[in-house]
Amino acid sequence: VRDTTEAYLIEKAKEIKAKADATENVRFATGVYFDKDCNNIHNAMKIADGKMYEDKKQFYAKHPELKKR
């Protein structure tokens, strides 16, 4: 969304994660990337995807008992 700020996007991602963390059965990883110039969607998706995998890695480091593989 062009009128969104990076701070707003990060805050919304934190709010969503906090709501999921407050449940016992909802878990997901997030990856947020902000490109104010909207130059390259493929690059933005690649960076956000990498951040999502890092979030997932951190989650399982904290909760190894939940890792199924």
Side-chain angles (χ1 to χ4, degrees):
V1 181
R2 292 193 184 271
D3 294 333
T4 299
T5 65
E6 183 174 17
Y8 179 80
L9 181 63
I10 291 169
E11 183 58 33
K12 287 297 169 189
K14 286 180 183 178
E15 287 177 17
I16 291 168
K17 289 289 281 189
K19 287 179 181 181
D21 290 345
T23 70
E24 290 187 27
N25 60 353
V26 176
R27 294 176 182 87
F28 53 86
T30 60
V32 176
Y33 176 73
F34 182 80
D35 179 3
K36 67 178 178 165
D37 298 322
C38 302
N39 288 324
N40 186 331
I41 187 67
H42 297 290
N43 186 52
M45 289 173 62
K46 183 177 178 180
I47 293 169
D49 194 50
K51 291 182 177 194
M52 186 260 321
Y53 280 106
E54 182 58 35
D55 185 45
K56 185 176 182 176
K57 181 180 172 183
Q58 289 175 9
F59 174 82
Y60 284 119
K62 242 172 127 173
H63 305 282
E65 73 281 3
L66 297 174
K67 192 166 187 172
K68 295 183 180 181
R69 297 186 213 173

Coordinates of all heavy atoms in Angstrom, one line a residue:
V1 N 0.9 -1.2 0.0 CA 0.0 0.0 0.0 C 0.9 1.2 0.0 O 1.7 1.4 0.9 CB -1.0 0.0 1.2 CG1 -1.8 1.2 1.2 CG2 -1.7 -1.3 1.3
R2 N 0.7 2.1 -0.9 CA 1.7 3.2 -1.1 C 1.7 4.2 0.0 O 2.7 4.8 0.2 CB 1.4 3.9 -2.5 CG 1.7 3.0 -3.6 CD 1.7 3.8 -4.9 NE 1.9 3.0 -6.1 CZ 3.1 2.7 -6.6 NH1 4.2 3.2 -6.0 NH2 3.2 1.9 -7.6
D3 N 0.6 4.4 0.7 CA 0.5 5.4 1.7 C 0.9 4.9 3.1 O 0.8 5.6 4.1 CB -0.9 6.0 1.8 CG -1.2 6.8 0.5 OD1 -0.3 7.3 -0.1 OD2 -2.4 6.9 0.2
T4 N 1.4 3.7 3.2 CA 1.8 3.1 4.4 C 3.3 3.4 4.8 O 4.1 3.5 3.9 CB 1.7 1.5 4.3 OG1 0.3 1.2 4.1 CG2 2.1 0.8 5.6
T5 N 3.5 3.6 6.1 CA 4.9 3.9 6.5 C 5.5 2.6 7.0 O 4.8 1.6 7.3 CB 4.9 4.9 7.6 OG1 4.3 4.4 8.8 CG2 4.3 6.2 7.2
E6 N 6.8 2.6 7.0 CA 7.6 1.4 7.5 C 7.2 1.1 9.0 O 7.0 0.0 9.4 CB 9.1 1.6 7.4 CG 9.9 0.4 7.8 CD 11.3 0.5 7.5 OE1 11.8 1.7 7.2 OE2 12.0 -0.5 7.5
A7 N 7.1 2.2 9.8 CA 6.8 2.0 11.2 C 5.4 1.4 11.4 O 5.2 0.5 12.2 CB 6.9 3.4 11.9
Y8 N 4.5 1.8 10.6 CA 3.1 1.3 10.6 C 3.1 -0.2 10.3 O 2.5 -1.0 11.0 CB 2.2 2.1 9.7 CG 0.8 1.6 9.7 CD1 -0.1 1.9 10.7 CD2 0.3 0.7 8.7 CE1 -1.4 1.4 10.7 CE2 -1.0 0.3 8.7 CZ -1.9 0.6 9.7 OH -3.1 0.1 9.7
L9 N 3.8 -0.5 9.2 CA 3.8 -1.9 8.8 C 4.5 -2.8 9.8 O 3.9 -3.9 10.2 CB 4.6 -2.0 7.5 CG 4.8 -3.4 6.9 CD1 3.4 -3.9 6.4 CD2 5.7 -3.3 5.7
I10 N 5.6 -2.4 10.4 CA 6.2 -3.2 11.5 C 5.3 -3.3 12.7 O 5.2 -4.4 13.3 CB 7.6 -2.5 11.8 CG1 8.6 -2.7 10.6 CG2 8.2 -3.1 13.1 CD1 9.8 -1.9 10.8
E11 N 4.7 -2.2 13.1 CA 3.8 -2.3 14.2 C 2.6 -3.2 14.0 O 2.2 -4.0 14.9 CB 3.2 -0.9 14.5 CG 2.4 -0.8 15.8 CD 3.0 -1.3 17.1 OE1 4.3 -1.1 17.2 OE2 2.4 -1.9 17.9
K12 N 2.0 -3.2 12.8 CA 0.9 -4.1 12.5 C 1.4 -5.6 12.5 O 0.7 -6.5 13.0 CB 0.3 -3.8 11.1 CG -0.5 -2.6 11.2 CD -1.7 -2.8 12.1 CE -2.4 -1.5 12.4 NZ -3.4 -1.6 13.5
A13 N 2.6 -5.9 12.0 CA 3.1 -7.2 12.0 C 3.3 -7.7 13.5 O 3.0 -8.8 13.8 CB 4.4 -7.3 11.3
K14 N 3.8 -6.8 14.3 CA 4.0 -7.1 15.8 C 2.6 -7.4 16.4 O 2.5 -8.3 17.2 CB 4.7 -6.0 16.5 CG 6.2 -5.9 16.2 CD 6.8 -4.7 17.0 CE 8.3 -4.6 16.6 NZ 8.8 -3.4 17.4
E15 N 1.6 -6.6 16.1 CA 0.3 -6.8 16.7 C -0.3 -8.2 16.3 O -0.8 -8.9 17.1 CB -0.7 -5.7 16.2 CG -0.4 -4.4 16.9 CD -1.3 -3.3 16.3 OE1 -2.4 -3.6 15.7 OE2 -1.0 -2.1 16.5
I16 N -0.1 -8.5 15.0 CA -0.6 -9.8 14.5 C 0.1 -11.0 15.2 O -0.5 -11.9 15.7 CB -0.5 -9.9 13.0 CG1 -1.4 -8.9 12.3 CG2 -0.7 -11.3 12.5 CD1 -1.2 -8.7 10.9
K17 N 1.4 -10.9 15.3 CA 2.2 -11.9 16.0 C 1.8 -12.0 17.5 O 1.7 -13.1 18.0 CB 3.7 -11.7 15.9 CG 4.3 -11.9 14.5 CD 4.3 -13.3 14.1 CE 5.5 -14.0 14.8 NZ 5.8 -15.3 14.3
A18 N 1.6 -10.9 18.1 CA 1.2 -10.9 19.6 C -0.1 -11.6 19.7 O -0.3 -12.4 20.7 CB 1.2 -9.5 20.1
K19 N -1.1 -11.4 18.8 CA -2.4 -12.1 18.9 C -2.2 -13.6 18.7 O -2.9 -14.4 19.4 CB -3.3 -11.5 17.9 CG -3.8 -10.1 18.3 CD -4.8 -9.5 17.2 CE -5.2 -8.1 17.6 NZ -6.1 -7.5 16.7
A20 N -1.4 -14.0 17.8 CA -1.2 -15.4 17.6 C -0.4 -16.0 18.8 O -0.8 -17.1 19.2 CB -0.3 -15.6 16.3
D21 N 0.5 -15.3 19.4 CA 1.3 -15.8 20.5 C 0.4 -16.0 21.7 O 0.7 -16.8 22.6 CB 2.4 -14.9 20.8 CG 3.6 -14.9 19.8 OD1 3.6 -15.9 19.0 OD2 4.4 -14.0 19.8
A22 N -0.7 -15.2 21.8 CA -1.7 -15.3 22.9 C -2.6 -16.6 22.8 O -3.3 -16.8 23.7 CB -2.5 -14.1 23.0
T23 N -2.5 -17.3 21.7 CA -3.3 -18.5 21.6 C -2.4 -19.7 21.8 O -1.2 -19.6 21.7 CB -3.9 -18.6 20.2 OG1 -2.9 -18.8 19.2 CG2 -4.6 -17.3 19.8
E24 N -3.0 -20.9 21.9 CA -2.3 -22.1 22.1 C -2.0 -22.8 20.8 O -1.2 -23.7 20.7 CB -3.0 -23.0 23.1 CG -2.9 -22.5 24.5 CD -3.5 -23.5 25.5 OE1 -3.5 -24.7 25.2 OE2 -4.0 -23.1 26.5
N25 N -2.8 -22.6 19.8 CA -2.8 -23.4 18.6 C -2.6 -22.6 17.3 O -2.7 -23.2 16.2 CB -4.0 -24.2 18.5 CG -5.3 -23.4 18.4 OD1 -5.3 -22.2 18.6 ND2 -6.4 -24.1 18.2
V26 N -2.3 -21.3 17.3 CA -2.1 -20.5 16.1 C -0.6 -20.1 16.1 O -0.1 -19.4 17.0 CB -3.0 -19.3 16.1 CG1 -2.6 -18.4 14.8 CG2 -4.4 -19.7 16.1
R27 N 0.1 -20.6 15.1 CA 1.5 -20.2 15.0 C 1.8 -20.0 13.5 O 1.3 -20.7 12.6 CB 2.4 -21.4 15.5 CG 2.2 -21.6 16.9 CD 3.1 -22.8 17.4 NE 2.9 -23.0 18.8 CZ 1.9 -23.7 19.3 NH1 1.0 -24.3 18.6 NH2 1.8 -23.9 20.6
F28 N 2.6 -19.0 13.2 CA 3.0 -18.7 11.9 C 4.2 -17.8 11.9 O 4.5 -17.1 12.9 CB 1.9 -18.0 11.0 CG 1.3 -16.8 11.6 CD1 1.9 -15.6 11.5 CD2 0.2 -16.9 12.4 CE1 1.3 -14.4 12.1 CE2 -0.4 -15.8 13.0 CZ 0.2 -14.6 12.8
A29 N 5.0 -17.8 10.8 CA 6.2 -16.9 10.7 C 5.8 -15.7 9.9 O 4.9 -15.8 9.0 CB 7.3 -17.7 10.1
T30 N 6.5 -14.6 10.1 CA 6.2 -13.4 9.3 C 7.6 -12.9 8.8 O 8.6 -13.1 9.4 CB 5.6 -12.3 10.1 OG1 6.4 -11.9 11.2 CG2 4.2 -12.7 10.6
G31 N 7.5 -12.2 7.7 CA 8.6 -11.6 7.1 C 8.2 -10.2 6.6 O 7.3 -10.2 5.7
V32 N 8.7 -9.2 7.1 CA 8.3 -7.8 6.6 C 9.4 -7.1 6.0 O 10.5 -7.1 6.5 CB 7.8 -7.0 7.9 CG1 7.4 -5.6 7.5 CG2 6.6 -7.7 8.5
Y33 N 9.1 -6.5 4.8 CA 10.1 -5.7 4.1 C 9.4 -4.5 3.6 O 8.3 -4.6 3.1 CB 10.8 -6.5 3.0 CG 11.7 -5.6 2.2 CD1 12.9 -5.2 2.7 CD2 11.4 -5.1 0.9 CE1 13.8 -4.4 2.0 CE2 12.2 -4.3 0.2 CZ 13.4 -3.9 0.7 OH 14.3 -3.1 0.0
F34 N 10.0 -3.3 3.7 CA 9.4 -2.1 3.3 C 10.3 -1.4 2.3 O 11.5 -1.2 2.5 CB 9.2 -1.1 4.5 CG 8.5 0.2 4.2 CD1 7.2 0.2 4.0 CD2 9.3 1.3 4.0 CE1 6.5 1.4 3.7 CE2 8.7 2.5 3.7 CZ 7.3 2.6 3.5
D35 N 9.7 -1.2 1.1 CA 10.4 -0.5 0.0 C 9.6 0.8 -0.3 O 8.6 0.7 -1.0 CB 10.6 -1.4 -1.2 CG 11.3 -0.7 -2.3 OD1 11.7 0.5 -2.2 OD2 11.4 -1.3 -3.4
K36 N 10.0 1.9 0.2 CA 9.2 3.1 0.1 C 9.1 3.6 -1.4 O 8.1 4.2 -1.7 CB 9.8 4.3 0.9 CG 11.2 4.8 0.4 CD 11.7 5.9 1.2 CE 13.1 6.3 0.6 NZ 13.5 7.5 1.0
D37 N 10.0 3.1 -2.3 CA 9.9 3.5 -3.7 C 9.1 2.5 -4.5 O 8.9 2.7 -5.7 CB 11.3 3.7 -4.2 CG 12.0 4.9 -3.5 OD1 11.4 5.9 -3.2 OD2 13.2 4.7 -3.3
C38 N 8.8 1.3 -3.9 CA 8.1 0.3 -4.7 C 8.8 -0.1 -6.0 O 8.2 -0.2 -7.0 CB 6.7 0.7 -4.9 SG 5.7 1.0 -3.5
N39 N 10.1 -0.2 -5.9 CA 10.9 -0.4 -7.1 C 10.8 -1.8 -7.7 O 10.7 -2.0 -8.9 CB 12.4 -0.2 -6.8 CG 12.7 1.3 -6.7 OD1 12.0 2.1 -7.3 ND2 13.6 1.7 -5.8
N40 N 10.9 -2.9 -6.9 CA 11.0 -4.2 -7.4 C 10.3 -5.2 -6.5 O 10.8 -5.6 -5.5 CB 12.5 -4.6 -7.5 CG 12.7 -5.9 -8.2 OD1 11.9 -6.8 -8.1 ND2 13.8 -6.0 -8.9
I41 N 9.1 -5.6 -6.9 CA 8.3 -6.5 -6.0 C 8.9 -7.8 -5.8 O 8.8 -8.4 -4.8 CB 6.8 -6.6 -6.6 CG1 5.9 -7.4 -5.6 CG2 6.9 -7.3 -8.0 CD1 5.6 -6.7 -4.4
H42 N 9.6 -8.3 -6.8 CA 10.3 -9.6 -6.7 C 11.4 -9.6 -5.7 O 11.5 -10.5 -4.9 CB 10.8 -10.1 -8.1 CG 9.7 -10.3 -9.0 ND1 8.8 -11.4 -8.9 CD2 9.3 -9.6 -10.1 CE1 7.9 -11.3 -9.9 NE2 8.2 -10.3 -10.7
N43 N 12.1 -8.5 -5.7 CA 13.2 -8.3 -4.7 C 12.6 -8.2 -3.3 O 13.1 -8.8 -2.3 CB 14.1 -7.1 -5.1 CG 15.3 -7.0 -4.1 OD1 16.0 -8.0 -4.0 ND2 15.5 -5.9 -3.5
A44 N 11.5 -7.4 -3.2 CA 10.9 -7.2 -1.9 C 10.4 -8.5 -1.3 O 10.5 -8.8 -0.2 CB 9.7 -6.2 -2.0
M45 N 9.8 -9.3 -2.2 CA 9.2 -10.6 -1.8 C 10.4 -11.6 -1.4 O 10.3 -12.3 -0.4 CB 8.4 -11.3 -2.9 CG 7.1 -10.5 -3.1 SD 6.2 -11.1 -4.6 CE 5.9 -12.8 -4.2
K46 N 11.5 -11.5 -2.0 CA 12.6 -12.3 -1.7 C 13.2 -12.0 -0.3 O 13.5 -12.8 0.5 CB 13.7 -12.2 -2.8 CG 14.9 -13.0 -2.6 CD 15.9 -12.9 -3.7 CE 17.1 -13.7 -3.5 NZ 18.1 -13.5 -4.6
I47 N 13.3 -10.7 -0.1 CA 13.8 -10.2 1.2 C 12.8 -10.6 2.3 O 13.2 -11.1 3.4 CB 14.1 -8.7 1.2 CG1 15.3 -8.4 0.2 CG2 14.4 -8.2 2.6 CD1 15.5 -7.0 -0.1
A48 N 11.5 -10.3 2.1 CA 10.5 -10.7 3.1 C 10.5 -12.2 3.4 O 10.4 -12.6 4.5 CB 9.2 -10.2 2.7
D49 N 10.7 -13.0 2.3 CA 10.7 -14.4 2.5 C 11.9 -14.8 3.4 O 11.7 -15.7 4.2 CB 10.8 -15.1 1.1 CG 10.5 -16.5 1.1 OD1 9.4 -16.9 1.7 OD2 11.2 -17.3 0.6
G50 N 13.0 -14.2 3.1 CA 14.2 -14.5 4.0 C 14.0 -14.2 5.4 O 14.3 -14.9 6.3
K51 N 13.3 -13.1 5.6 CA 13.0 -12.7 7.0 C 12.0 -13.6 7.7 O 12.0 -13.9 8.9 CB 12.5 -11.2 7.0 CG 13.6 -10.2 6.7 CD 13.1 -8.8 6.8 CE 14.2 -7.8 6.5 NZ 13.9 -6.5 6.8
M52 N 11.1 -14.1 6.9 CA 10.1 -15.1 7.4 C 10.8 -16.3 7.8 O 10.5 -16.9 8.9 CB 9.0 -15.4 6.3 CG 7.9 -16.2 6.8 SD 8.0 -18.0 6.4 CE 8.6 -18.1 4.7
Y53 N 11.7 -16.8 7.0 CA 12.5 -18.0 7.4 C 13.3 -17.8 8.7 O 13.5 -18.7 9.5 CB 13.3 -18.6 6.3 CG 12.4 -19.4 5.3 CD1 12.1 -18.9 4.1 CD2 11.9 -20.6 5.7 CE1 11.2 -19.6 3.2 CE2 11.1 -21.3 4.8 CZ 10.8 -20.8 3.6 OH 9.9 -21.5 2.8
E54 N 13.8 -16.6 8.8 CA 14.6 -16.3 10.0 C 13.7 -16.2 11.2 O 14.0 -16.7 12.3 CB 15.3 -14.9 9.9 CG 16.2 -14.5 11.0 CD 17.3 -15.5 11.4 OE1 17.8 -16.1 10.5 OE2 17.5 -15.7 12.6
D55 N 12.5 -15.7 11.1 CA 11.5 -15.7 12.2 C 11.1 -17.1 12.6 O 11.1 -17.5 13.7 CB 10.2 -14.9 11.7 CG 9.2 -14.8 12.8 OD1 9.6 -14.4 13.9 OD2 8.0 -15.0 12.5
K56 N 11.0 -18.0 11.6 CA 10.6 -19.4 11.8 C 11.8 -20.1 12.6 O 11.6 -20.8 13.5 CB 10.4 -20.1 10.5 CG 9.9 -21.5 10.6 CD 9.6 -22.0 9.2 CE 9.1 -23.5 9.3 NZ 8.7 -23.9 7.9
K57 N 13.0 -19.8 12.2 CA 14.2 -20.4 12.8 C 14.3 -20.0 14.3 O 14.5 -20.8 15.2 CB 15.4 -19.9 12.1 CG 16.7 -20.4 12.6 CD 17.9 -19.9 11.8 CE 19.2 -20.3 12.4 NZ 20.3 -19.7 11.6
Q58 N 14.0 -18.7 14.5 CA 14.0 -18.2 15.9 C 12.9 -18.8 16.8 O 13.1 -19.1 17.9 CB 13.9 -16.7 15.9 CG 15.1 -16.0 15.4 CD 14.9 -14.4 15.3 OE1 13.9 -13.9 15.8 NE2 15.9 -13.8 14.7
F59 N 11.8 -19.0 16.2 CA 10.6 -19.6 16.9 C 11.0 -21.0 17.3 O 10.8 -21.4 18.5 CB 9.4 -19.7 16.0 CG 8.3 -20.4 16.7 CD1 7.4 -19.8 17.6 CD2 8.0 -21.8 16.4 CE1 6.4 -20.5 18.2 CE2 7.0 -22.5 17.0 CZ 6.2 -21.8 17.9
Y60 N 11.6 -21.8 16.4 CA 11.9 -23.2 16.7 C 13.1 -23.3 17.7 O 13.2 -24.3 18.4 CB 12.1 -24.1 15.5 CG 10.8 -24.4 14.9 CD1 10.4 -24.0 13.6 CD2 9.8 -25.1 15.6 CE1 9.2 -24.3 13.0 CE2 8.6 -25.5 15.0 CZ 8.3 -25.1 13.8 OH 7.1 -25.4 13.2
A61 N 14.0 -22.3 17.6 CA 15.1 -22.3 18.6 C 14.5 -22.1 20.0 O 15.0 -22.6 21.0 CB 16.0 -21.2 18.3
K62 N 13.4 -21.3 20.1 CA 12.8 -21.0 21.4 C 11.9 -22.2 21.8 O 11.7 -22.4 23.0 CB 11.9 -19.8 21.3 CG 12.2 -18.6 22.1 CD 11.4 -17.4 21.7 CE 10.7 -16.8 22.9 NZ 10.0 -15.6 22.5
H63 N 11.3 -22.9 20.8 CA 10.3 -24.0 21.1 C 10.7 -25.2 20.3 O 9.9 -25.7 19.4 CB 8.9 -23.5 20.7 CG 8.5 -22.3 21.3 ND1 8.0 -22.2 22.6 CD2 8.4 -21.0 20.9 CE1 7.7 -21.0 22.9 NE2 7.9 -20.2 21.9
P64 N 11.8 -25.9 20.6 CA 12.2 -27.0 19.8 C 11.2 -28.2 19.9 O 11.2 -29.0 19.1 CB 13.6 -27.4 20.4 CG 13.6 -26.8 21.8 CD 12.8 -25.5 21.7
E65 N 10.5 -28.2 21.0 CA 9.5 -29.3 21.2 C 8.4 -29.3 20.2 O 7.7 -30.3 20.0 CB 8.9 -29.3 22.6 CG 8.0 -28.2 22.9 CD 8.6 -26.8 23.2 OE1 9.8 -26.6 23.1 OE2 7.8 -25.8 23.4
L66 N 8.2 -28.2 19.5 CA 7.1 -28.0 18.5 C 7.6 -28.4 17.1 O 6.7 -28.5 16.2 CB 6.6 -26.6 18.6 CG 5.9 -26.2 19.9 CD1 5.5 -24.7 19.8 CD2 4.7 -27.1 20.2
K67 N 8.9 -28.6 16.9 CA 9.4 -28.9 15.6 C 9.0 -30.3 15.3 O 9.4 -31.2 16.0 CB 10.9 -28.6 15.5 CG 11.4 -28.7 14.1 CD 12.8 -28.1 14.0 CE 13.2 -28.0 12.5 NZ 14.4 -27.3 12.4
K68 N 8.4 -30.6 14.2 CA 7.9 -31.9 13.8 C 8.8 -32.6 12.9 O 8.7 -33.8 12.7 CB 6.5 -31.8 13.2 CG 5.5 -31.3 14.2 CD 4.1 -31.3 13.7 CE 3.2 -30.8 14.8 NZ 1.8 -30.8 14.4
R69 N 9.7 -31.9 12.2 CA 10.6 -32.6 11.3 C 12.0 -32.8 11.9 O 12.5 -32.1 12.7 CB 10.8 -31.8 10.0 CG 9.5 -31.6 9.2 CD 9.8 -31.0 8.0 NE 8.7 -30.1 7.6 CZ 8.7 -29.3 6.6 NH1 9.7 -29.2 5.9 NH2 7.6 -28.6 6.3

